[in-house]
Amino acid sequence: MKGNRRRATNAIEVHFLTRTIFFGFLIGFAALFFVYIKNQQHSVGNESRQVEAELHEYTARNEALMANITKMTSRGYLQRKLDEGYIRLSAVRDSSLESTNPAVIAQPDGLLRTASRDTAEASRRVLSR
Amino acid sequence: MKGITGRIGVICALLVLIFTAFAWRLIYLQVLQHDYFSKLAAEKHESRKVIPAKRGRILDRNGEELAVNFPVRTITADGTHIQDPAALALLAAPYLDMKVEDLKAKFSTKRPYVVIKKGVAEEKAQAMVRAMDKARLHGLSLEEGAIRSYPNGEMLCHVLGFVDASGHGIDGIEKSLDEELAGQDGFRWIEHDRKGLEVVTYRGQEQLPEQGADVRLTIDMGLQAIVEDELEKKCREVHPAGAAAIFADPNTGEILAMASRPDFDPNKFNESQAEQRRNRVVTDMYEPGSVFKIVVASAALNEGIVNERTRIYCEDGLFHYGGKTIKDHHKAGEMNLGEILQYSSNIGSAKMSLMMKDQVYYDYVRAFGFGEKSGIPLQGEISGMVNPPRRWDGLTKTRMAFGQSVAVTPIQMIMAMASVANGGVLMKPRLILNRGEGSVAEPATSVRQVVKPETAKFIAAALQKVVSMQGTAPQAQIPGFNVAGKTGTAQKISPRGGYMEGRYTVSFAGFFPSDHPRLVGLVIVDDAKIGSEANYGGLVAAPVFREIGERAASYLGIARENSATTTIAQLSEKADTP
């Protein structure tokens, strides 16, 4: 009986168990990692959407401001302000005028550039005109 | 034992059946009905988002902005995502300037796309979205858009035109260059979550928009402002039915300024009348009167029928021809070609026309560009009216010689005068400098050589005398410059036939400096409300030309030809002297 009892004992196959648990964890970890990556992807997507929206908002605000600046510096607007007495024209003698390189407005990049005192360039422009 | 085994078998069989059913259902949904459910899901979560192209700007030759875009938003609602219409309406109302009840009614829908309001300012729209996020309300979204803005208001309105609510050009350059300005909208396929927000991860096919091109005109706004100002002053003074002025470079045909009255504000075009929106420079024809004498004089001289010494008997101011009488204001016996132009002799001009064969004379009229469209890229251009010789009666030829029985548009007239100024070449009027950054500038285009350079030179010299103290337009003199030009005073045609008593279309067309012309201009005043004794081209239109010319010369830095210091006041004194 003793011998029979010994034979009936089931040995724990540690290697098999370890391997199974290892692969189980590995698959589980991979699945969790996949979910994590997927979540990150969505999270980054949301962030990029928000950044895009902000960027768009700033661009649109900039465009609106540029349009307002254009309107408020237009000839028609300045003429109206002149007529209403908000601004006035003062006579300036020719001798008091300094030739400057005219401000380049309305560049494709939308930037306003101020006039510079580039006399050589100014002379060239006057001559070419 | 057997019973237990049987029961286990039954349970197993049931489980197999259940899982088989589930498996079959899965196959049915995922495989057999794949297309149907994919489509259903796509309809619910996918949409094609239009990325609007920005409309190109319109600039003057120096880059000054004439038409720009003002970004605005269109607010749309998705009824399937609105959970609390009342709360959303209460929140959105102040940002949209709408009544809460109206908004609530609009939000109480299950439709996925309802336009709530167009043209909402960017800042207001963004503030509303932030407030919605804070209150955790959903269902409203913003669409990109822009409204067209014309910062100069009425100035250059007829050239620029305007766009409709959907952004399509309706008139002017906005219409004729609509394709270039509009660009091409892009698109992006997107998926959105149950809150209606885009799931960026699942972005689909995308095509970026092709932005509209910036169009640069030949117009110089500095000169345009001068022209508008002087024309407006004259209109306030004489209250005409209409008026127009054009200034151009005679050597290239570039239109530098173009104004027409009455005018309108393209920002509020729907408040204007059709009459205000008409660009008289291209859509109206008129009998040019004596300005047209340059055609017969050029033709006769170019054909060798007359020369500078030929003297023509002008019948002492009364010429009976074809049963009618032609009169001259300046009664004279014989006059040469120069004097005929200087004193604007109708009889001399009529007699020159009679010296030419009908077809030859007609060919010259057509060669100067009359009776055909000039090709300027503006809407509604007409070709005027020049009848062929087969439709002439006995008087047509003589009438045409002094600008009757023929109808021209102002753009044709100025191009004809430009051809005299530039040595006899008819130029195509040029209004577009280039179409988009980096595009090749459109070259100046000559249509044809109308008369020989020496003919044009002689006519130009004769036209200088018109602007002398003895001519018909001393009021067109610009101190420091030799000005050449011709006046025109034509009675208005009655719709019932014949001419209207005491109602005139007066004009002055000229150029300066006469030796090397830089500017050619035409001023027309239609039906001024002043007495007939003062309603002449030389008295009404010529002073406008002078004022514009004087300011333009200073603005453009045109060097003075002579040291003449005659002032306008001195000119007036001389003109008043008997």
Side-chain angles (χ1 to χ4, degrees), chain A residues 6-76:
Chain A
R6 200 175 296 128
R7 272 201 302 273
T9 304
N10 290 323
I12 297 169
E13 294 180 29
V14 177
H15 286 296
F16 174 74
L17 196 63
T18 310
R19 203 168 55 209
T20 307
I21 291 169
F22 174 74
F23 281 115
F25 268 105
L26 204 66
I27 290 167
F29 182 76
L32 281 174
F33 191 70
F34 178 77
V35 171
Y36 171 77
I37 292 292
K38 208 70 185 163
N39 278 343
Q40 284 296 106
Q41 199 181 7
H42 280 279
S43 170
V44 169
N46 276 341
E47 274 177 31
S48 74
R49 184 171 48 79
Q50 281 166 4
V51 169
E52 274 177 18
E54 271 181 43
L55 200 63
H56 184 271
E57 187 185 336
Y58 288 128
T59 311
R61 272 194 204 173
N62 187 46
E63 275 178 25
L65 289 172
M66 295 286 282
N68 273 332
I69 290 169
T70 304
K71 187 181 169 188
M72 294 174 79
T73 53
S74 67
R75 287 172 193 277

Side-chain angles (χ1 to χ4, degrees), chain A residues 38 41-42 45-46 48-49 52 56-57 59-61 63-64 67-68 70-71 74-77 105-108 129, chain B residues 54 57 63-65 69-71 73 122 126 130 144 151-152 155 197-203 221-222 437 518 555:
Chain A
K38 208 70 185 163
Q41 199 181 7
H42 280 279
N46 276 341
S48 74
R49 184 171 48 79
E52 274 177 18
H56 184 271
E57 187 185 336
T59 311
R61 272 194 204 173
E63 275 178 25
N68 273 332
T70 304
K71 187 181 169 188
S74 67
R75 287 172 193 277
Y77 188 88
I105 56 168
Q107 288 294 294
R129 207 164 65 175
Chain B
K54 277 182 198 160
R57 299 169 302 167
E64 191 171 324
E65 291 175 313
N69 304 311
F70 194 88
R73 294 289 199 147
E122 180 70 26
Q126 294 296 347
R130 276 193 287 273
E144 285 179 47
N152 290 301
M155 205 183 285
L197 299 174
E198 183 196 354
V199 183
V200 179
T201 322
Y202 300 136
R203 267 186 190 173
M221 280 306 278
E437 201 59 40
R518 288 276 308 274
Y555 168 69

Side-chain angles (χ1 to χ4, degrees), chain B residues 294-556:
Chain B
I294 60 168
V295 177
V296 69
S298 302
L301 189 63
N302 206 55
E303 285 296 301
I305 291 166
V306 294
N307 61 38
E308 52 268 39
R309 292 180 302 281
T310 307
R311 299 193 70 78
I312 295 170
Y313 180 54
C314 291
E315 311 279 349
D316 291 322
L318 275 180
F319 178 39
H320 300 286
Y321 180 79
K324 298 278 181 182
T325 305
I326 301 172
K327 292 179 189 172
D328 270 350
H329 198 261
H330 179 88
K331 298 175 180 64
E334 286 184 348
M335 282 197 267
N336 63 25
L337 183 56
E339 289 165 338
I340 287 170
L341 287 173
Q342 180 181 352
Y343 298 111
S344 197
S345 169
N346 294 333
I347 297 168
S349 303
K351 284 195 168 182
M352 273 195 286
S353 73
L354 290 171
M355 291 177 195
M356 273 183 283
K357 287 181 182 170
D358 290 358
Q359 190 60 44
V360 172
Y361 180 39
Y362 174 73
D363 288 345
Y364 269 99
V365 172
R366 295 301 303 265
F368 268 102
F370 299 107
E372 66 182 13
K373 291 180 183 176
S374 69
I376 192 168
L378 287 174
Q379 292 299 301
E381 187 187 8
I382 58 168
S383 52
M385 193 194 72
V386 181
N387 287 323
R390 67 175 186 281
R391 294 176 64 185
W392 292 358
D393 61 22
L395 294 171
T396 305
K397 197 175 173 186
T398 53
R399 299 274 184 213
M400 276 174 70
F402 47 90
Q404 291 184 351
S405 301
V406 64
V408 307
T409 62
I411 192 72
Q412 289 171 342
M413 196 68 246
I414 193 173
M415 284 299 118
M417 185 55 89
S419 67
V420 173
N422 68 17
V425 182
L426 181 70
M427 301 300 295
K428 186 179 174 184
R430 189 174 168 221
L431 193 56
I432 315 294
L433 212 54
N434 65 37
R435 306 171 187 225
E437 201 59 40
S439 71
V440 180
E442 291 185 10
T445 314
S446 64
V447 181
R448 65 183 77 91
Q449 182 81 37
V450 186
V451 290
K452 289 177 268 191
E454 50 271 29
T455 302
K457 201 173 175 186
F458 179 83
I459 298 293
L463 293 181
Q464 271 192 59
K465 291 178 187 161
V466 174
V467 188
S468 69
M469 293 311 296
Q470 292 74 38
T472 55
Q475 303 233 21
Q477 288 180 6
I478 302 171
F481 293 99
N482 292 321
V483 178
K486 188 72 194 81
T487 54
T489 305
Q491 259 185 299
K492 279 176 74 75
I493 299 170
S494 169
R496 292 187 217 111
Y499 290 94
M500 291 192 276
E501 196 58 42
R503 297 175 70 177
Y504 300 90
T505 300
V506 299
S507 59
F508 180 84
F511 53 88
F512 72 95
S514 56
D515 291 342
H516 302 286
R518 288 276 308 274
L519 269 184
V520 58
L522 170 68
V523 177
I524 302 171
V525 180
D526 177 25
D527 198 13
K529 305 293 181 293
I530 53 174
S532 297
E533 69 285 350
N535 204 353
Y536 286 97
L539 297 177
V540 178
V544 181
F545 179 90
R546 179 195 64 217
E547 295 296 334
I548 294 171
E550 203 169 347
R551 290 174 64 183
S554 170
Y555 168 69
L556 296 172

Side-chain angles (χ1 to χ4, degrees), chain A residues 56-57 60-61 63-64, chain B residues 69-77 91-98 103 106-107 114-130 132 140-148 165:
Chain A
H56 184 271
E57 187 185 336
R61 272 194 204 173
E63 275 178 25
Chain B
N69 304 311
F70 194 88
V72 288
R73 294 289 199 147
T74 297
I75 312 294
T76 62
L91 183 140
Y95 297 102
L96 303 180
D97 294 328
M98 290 174 77
L103 277 177
K106 284 193 170 189
F107 293 157
V114 182
V115 174
I116 303 298
K117 194 172 183 184
K118 288 181 175 178
V120 178
E122 180 70 26
E123 285 173 10
K124 274 191 174 183
Q126 294 296 347
M128 185 188 74
V129 169
R130 276 193 287 273
M132 279 171 61
L140 294 186
S141 50
L142 312 180
E143 282 181 8
E144 285 179 47
I147 49 174
R148 200 67 160 160

Side-chain angles (χ1 to χ4, degrees), chain B residues 198-220:
Chain B
E198 183 196 354
V199 183
V200 179
T201 322
Y202 300 136
R203 267 186 190 173
Q205 193 189 358
E206 178 176 287
Q207 185 175 308
L208 292 174
E210 235 177 74
Q211 310 292 12
D214 289 345
V215 170
R216 197 176 280 247
L217 304 182
T218 56
I219 296 288
D220 185 322

